[in-house]
Amino acid sequence: MDPTPLYLEPRLDEPLASLVESAEFLHTLTDALGSPLNILLPDQAAANVERFRAVFRRHSLSGEICLAHKATRSSAVVRRLAATGAGIDVASLGELQHALGAGFTGDRIVATGPKDPDFLWLAARTGAVVHLDGLAELDLLAELVRKHGLPRTRVLPRLSGFASAGVRVRSRRSRFGVPAAGLDRLIDALDRHRDAVDPIGTAYHLDTTSLDEKALAFEGCLVALDALRRRGFAPRAVDIGGGFGTGYLADAAQWERYTTELRRAVLGERQPLTWGGHGYGLRAEGGTLRGALGLYPAHRPLSGPDYLDRLLARTAPGLGRGLGALLLDSLGDLRIAPGRALLDQCGLTLAAVAEVRREDSGDTVVRLAAKADDIGLEDHGVLVDPVVVPRAPAADPAPAAVYLTGSLCLESDLITRRLVHLPRLPRPGDLLAFANTAGYCMDFGATRAQGRPGARKVAVHRDAGRWQWCLDDRYWPIGRTGGTPA
C-alpha cells in the first residue's frame, strides 16, 4: 500500500490565509461563542465585486453585478455589498425583505426563482427587476400591477432550451424559463401587457459550467433582444446569472491523485478510502467501474472572473463573433449573479475537536462539536481538507488519517465520508478550520436537529494589523466594523 498521505489542501488567499494562521484569535472566538462558528470577511466580498468589474471593463461592457442571495444568510455580507455599487438577486420574499432592510434599494434588486403573489407584489412595489419564468407568471404579475396600481414593472423574460445550428451543442432542460422555440408567443404576451411590464432584456438560467452550453444560451438571448426590438420594445440587458465556479483546492495534482486512488479503492485495488465503502457515485460491478463521480471539481483552473472573461471572449456558435463584442455592438448591458464565486475566500467554519478515539478496526475517528449540516461541504460535493488550529503546539507532529464525525446520534452524521489525511493528529480542544465555506456551505442545509444550536456568525476585518470582530447581525459597513463604504 502507498503510504503517501492523500492531502486535499485548501486554496488560501489573503486575507483568509492570515485568518487561519491566527490561532489565538480563533480560539478566543470559539471559547466565547461556541462551536461550530462561522466567520465572514465582508470586505473580501466587496473585493470580489471589483474583480468581476475589471472583467466588464476589459470588454468595455456596462451592466450590473449581483450577489445571488441564496448562497448566504449573512447580514454582514449583504450590508457590505449594499455599500458598493453591486446589486442583489433574491429568490424569495424573505430574501427580498432582508435585502431591503440591509440597504439595497429596489432598483438594485432582481427577483428570481419561483414566485408567489406576495413576493411578486413587493418586488413590483419596490421597483425591483423581475425575472419571468413563464406566461402564467407574466399574467399574474400584470394582474397585480393593474389591480394594485403598482409602477410599470421592469422584467427580464428568461429563456431555455436553446437550439444549436451546425455542430450540435447539448442544451439541458431547465425548470426556469420559456423554451426559446416559443419566443414569438412570449413576445405576443409581453405586447398584450405593455401597460404593466417593461421588458428590459432577456435572461437564461443554466445549472452547468459548460462554456459551450452557456455560449449557446448567450447567443440565444442576443437573438431574442433583436426580436423584442423589432416588436417596438427597447431591451438592453442580457442576464447570464452565475455558475462561474470556485477553486477550492491549491494543488491540481492532489485532486488528480485522490480521484485516481478513489477509483482504485472502489475497485478493491487498494485499502478503502471512505466510510462503509462510499463511492461518491462510483461502484464496482464484476470488476468494472460503473457510475459517475458525483463531486464538485474542487480544483478548477478556470473559475470566477477568469471564467466570465473566457465566456465573453468565446465565439458565438451561430453568429461567428465573440459574445462580449456582440453584446457591445448591440448597445447591450451585461448582468450577472454569482453566488459561490462572489463569496470565494470570504469565510470559514470552525469546529472544536470533542473526542479522538482509535477503533478496533484500526480507524481513528475524530468527533467534532458540530453537525454535518453546519459545515455542508460534502453536501455540495466539495472535498477539501480542514486546517488544524492547535490549542498548543505539538511536540513532534506526524501525519494522521482520520474520519470526521458530527455530534448527532445518527450514523449518517459524518462531516466527511472519506478518510481525511492531516499533517498532525488533532487533539481534544483543537479547532478544525474548514476554509471557503461562505458560499452555500455555511447556510444552505443548516438545521437545529436534536436541539443543538446552529453555528453563530461573526464578521471580521483587519485594523492596524490586528483582527477585529463583531456579531454578524451587528455589522454595518460604516465606522469601526466595516471601514469606509466603497
Side-chain angles (χ1 to χ4, degrees), residues 3 14 16 139 161 275 316 344 385:
E14 291 296 339
L16 190 61
D139 290 340
W275 186 273
D344 185 26
D385 295 343

Side-chain angles (χ1 to χ4, degrees), residues 201-220:
T202 56
Y204 67 76
H205 178 277
L206 285 177
D207 188 14
T208 178
T209 57
S210 165
L211 283 165
D212 288 337
E213 285 186 67
K214 291 193 174 182
L216 177 64
F218 201 134
E219 180 183 67

Side-chain angles (χ1 to χ4, degrees), residues 228-243:
L228 284 164
R229 287 167 177 165
R230 289 195 297 270
R231 294 288 292 272
F233 295 104
R236 286 183 56 90
V238 172
D239 190 327
I240 65 174

